[in-house]
């Protein structure tokens, strides 16, 4: 049997996307071999999930490094030692240096809780409500040096209900994140999706708009 591509998952928080990825691997929907879960936060719930699932994990504390580049060098050192093919950002709450991003370009993938290019950055749910949006959702994208700006592979959208709060919306968006992240990762593993000439190719054809799923398709 062919070896599964090796991945690291970078987290800072609860790790529900990490768990969704692990679940997809366990049921055979995602052919990925997670070598390690790396966190910059020692209290991240995701570290506990990693150990419950029998995965290696590392806490690499950004406060111990002089600056962003120094920290990113430590990350690169740890990741490259494992001969990784895919670097998965799953709620990793740090801005990555251009050097880090360019080192893994095409292999570095992130999930963001909005329909990019709308609402880059933080507090996306409240901002979507405040802006009076009818729809909101999540996007999986290749990471490029500009924050939350890389080409989007797949999005799933949902309708914002009149009584939605940032919290209720966050929960519903998380549910769709858990569907689309493993899906997009499997496309990457299968070589169906790739970053080429700063655009996305899907099944060898340029993808001009992201794959858009509705709640019923995943
Ligand atoms: C998710 O909403 C993800 O989109 C964002 O950070 C959150 C991480 O949640 N980048 P979890 O730690 O996976 O539960």
């Amino acid at each position: 049997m062919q070896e599964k591509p090796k991945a690291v998952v970078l987290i800072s928080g609860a790790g529900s996307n990490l768990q969704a990825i692990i679940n997809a691997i366990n049921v055979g929907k995602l052919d990925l071999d997670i070598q390690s879960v790396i966190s910059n936060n020692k209290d991240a719930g995701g570290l506990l999930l990693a150990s419950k699932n029998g995965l290696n994990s590392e806490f690499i504390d950004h406060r111990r490094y002089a600056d962003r580049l120094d920290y990113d060098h430590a990350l690169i050192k740890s990741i490259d030692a494992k001969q990784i093919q895919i670097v998965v950002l799953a709620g990793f709450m740090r801005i990555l240096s251009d050097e880090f991003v360019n080192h893994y370009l095409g292999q570095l993938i992130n999930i963001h809780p909005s329909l990019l290019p709308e609402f880059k950055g933080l507090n996306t749910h409240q901002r979507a409500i405040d802006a009076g949006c009818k729809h909101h959702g999540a996007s999986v994208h290749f990471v490029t040096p500009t924050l939350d700006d890389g080409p989007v592979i797949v999005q799933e959208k949902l309708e914002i209900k009149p009584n939605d709060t940032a919290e209720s919306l966050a929960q519903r968006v998380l549910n769709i994140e858990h569907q689309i992240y493993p899906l997009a990762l499997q496309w990457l593993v299968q070589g169906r999706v790739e970053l080429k000439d700063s655009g996305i190719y899907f099944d060898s054809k340029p993808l001009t708009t992201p794959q858009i799923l509705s709640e019923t398709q995943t």
Side-chain angles (χ1 to χ4, degrees), residues 9-45:
V9 183
L10 271 54
I11 58 153
S12 302
S16 68
N17 277 288
L18 167 68
Q19 187 63 60
I21 290 165
I22 295 170
N23 294 346
I25 292 170
N26 289 345
V27 297
K29 282 188 174 176
L30 175 56
D31 301 312
L32 206 57
D33 181 2
I34 301 179
Q35 292 288 305
S36 186
V37 173
I38 300 178
S39 174
N40 67 317
N41 167 18
K42 103 171 144 23
D43 300 321

